[in-house]
Amino acid sequence: MQILLFGKTGQVATELQRNTHLGIEIMALGRNEADLSKPDVCANIIKEHSADVIINAAAYTLVDQAETEIALANIINGESPSRMAEAAALKNIPFIHISTDYVFNGHGQEAWKPGDESEPLNAYGRSKLYGEEGVCAAGGPYVILRTSWVFSAYGQNFVKTMLYLSKTHNTLRIVDDQIGGPTAASDIATACLIIAKELYSGRKVSGTYHFSGSPDVSWADFAREIFAQTGRKITVENISTSDFPSAAKRPLNSRLNCITLNSFFGIERPNWRASLNNVLKDLQEI
């Protein structure tokens, strides 16, 4: 099985390239080869390539900056995935697209189901919803995999930020009223490969699915676990979202209901604490 992968240097794409299995060949494209700010270029690459499955792990992820770069976020997260999915549909190539819990408004405490109404709070979420709608409308075999709070030993993420800040701070004030499931990029990569194999085999499982780590926690409790596993004596003080103003509104409820992913693909929610331990080991080796 040949996979054409967009977003070569991102967290999930990096893990996909590290965790390939026997019989799977990955052609990874970075921004130099496939710039998602140029939808025609990305669509043409798919038209000219003979991949068995396409995975789009590229995205505009600067949540606050998206508030002032709305057009660019919409192109990268919306128009390009839509055009790519259309090109894939013309060749009947399965298209896997990674999305986010930010397509929801974050109200309530119930875990969001794939079919729940989307109502993004910010420009980033709206751009990702734009992409989802385009992928669905393309008409080919597809899976949209929504996930949350991605972390790894690579790129920028909450784990690495906490470790960096702990070098110069004894106390950190962390938001405790946003709740979600931290998700290791390596676990997302594994899920993508399982899904890719099923789509490649011809199973008609197109749709939107949720995948996040378990159990759901606050950012503050996530930070406490990071420091506990690294043995760092850092005091974490709980604060509310309103105490930490930002350009973009964040959802308070990022819980994702992952039952359908398990039902259709046999993929269970991973224990993020165990995955965190693996990431921390990777960081020691880098």
Side-chain angles (χ1 to χ4, degrees):
M1 179 173 64
Q2 293 183 331
I3 295 175
L4 181 61
L5 173 63
F6 289 81
K8 180 177 183 178
T9 60
Q11 295 186 77
V12 174
T14 298
E15 293 292 355
L16 275 164
Q17 293 167 83
R18 292 181 69 206
N19 296 302
T20 54
H21 300 157
L22 185 66
I24 297 178
E25 177 185 343
I26 293 183
M27 179 179 177
L29 303 177
R31 189 176 300 173
N32 292 338
E33 301 96 346
D35 186 346
L36 266 71
S37 68
K38 301 174 181 177
D40 288 340
V41 171
C42 296
N44 286 335
I45 289 172
I46 292 173
K47 292 176 183 177
E48 297 168 359
H49 201 278
S50 58
D52 296 309
V53 178
I54 297 164
I55 299 177
N56 179 34
Y60 180 109
T61 58
L62 302 174
V63 177
D64 287 325
Q65 196 166 318
E67 296 297 313
T68 55
E69 292 186 342
I70 295 174
L72 180 59
N74 283 338
I75 291 172
I76 295 174
N77 291 343
E79 185 175 348
S80 279
S82 301
R83 295 288 304 280
M84 291 157 65
E86 290 169 1
L90 289 174
K91 301 180 72 173
N92 199 38
I93 301 174
F95 188 81
I96 300 173
H97 178 65
I98 298 174
S99 194
T100 174
D101 64 284
Y102 274 51
V103 299
F104 298 113
N105 62 25
H107 296 169
Q109 296 183 349
E110 292 295 318
W112 296 102
K113 298 177 182 178
D116 287 340
E117 182 179 359
S118 302
E119 189 183 3
L121 296 176
N122 54 47
Y124 166 72
R126 289 189 290 273
S127 72
K128 292 296 289 184
L129 180 59
Y130 174 11
E132 287 190 9
E133 291 171 343
V135 171
C136 290
Y142 76 93
V143 162
I144 294 170
L145 188 66
R146 292 180 182 142
T147 190
S148 63
W149 297 17
V150 182
F151 67 93
S152 71
Y154 309 94
Q156 296 182 342
N157 57 72
F158 185 77
V159 172
K160 294 180 71 176
T161 297
M162 290 299 100
L163 295 177
Y164 175 77
L165 291 175
S166 69
K167 294 179 180 179
T168 55
H169 295 72
N170 295 321
T171 300
L172 291 171
R173 302 172 72 238
I174 310 294
V175 170
D176 79 327
D177 59 352
Q178 295 177 27
I179 308 296
T183 316
S186 59
D187 292 324
I188 300 172
T190 299
C192 284
L193 290 176
I194 293 171
I195 293 168
K197 289 178 182 178
E198 293 294 318
L199 290 170
Y200 177 57
S201 72
R203 279 195 68 197
K204 297 180 179 180
V205 289
S206 290
T208 300
Y209 300 87
H210 289 173
F211 180 66
S212 65
S214 178
D216 295 318
V217 293
S218 69
W219 287 113
D221 284 339
F222 187 15
R224 289 187 179 95
E225 182 64 21
I226 294 168
F227 300 137
Q229 289 199 20
T230 54
R232 302 191 183 192
K233 306 298 182 181
I234 307 296
T235 299
V236 175
E237 294 183 355
N238 294 345
I239 62 171
S240 66
T241 299
S242 60
D243 295 324
F244 190 76
S246 60
K249 293 182 179 179
R250 262 64 172 182
L252 298 182
N253 177 19
S254 290
R255 301 171 180 88
L256 294 176
N257 184 314
C258 306
I259 291 176
T260 54
L261 187 70
N262 181 252
S263 299
F264 280 80
F265 296 99
I267 300 173
E268 297 183 353
R269 294 183 68 184
N271 184 313
W272 63 262
R273 291 187 174 92
S275 299
L276 172 63
N277 185 262
N278 293 331
V279 166
L280 294 174
K281 290 178 181 176
D282 284 343
L283 282 168
Q284 291 178 346
E285 297 174 359
I286 293 176

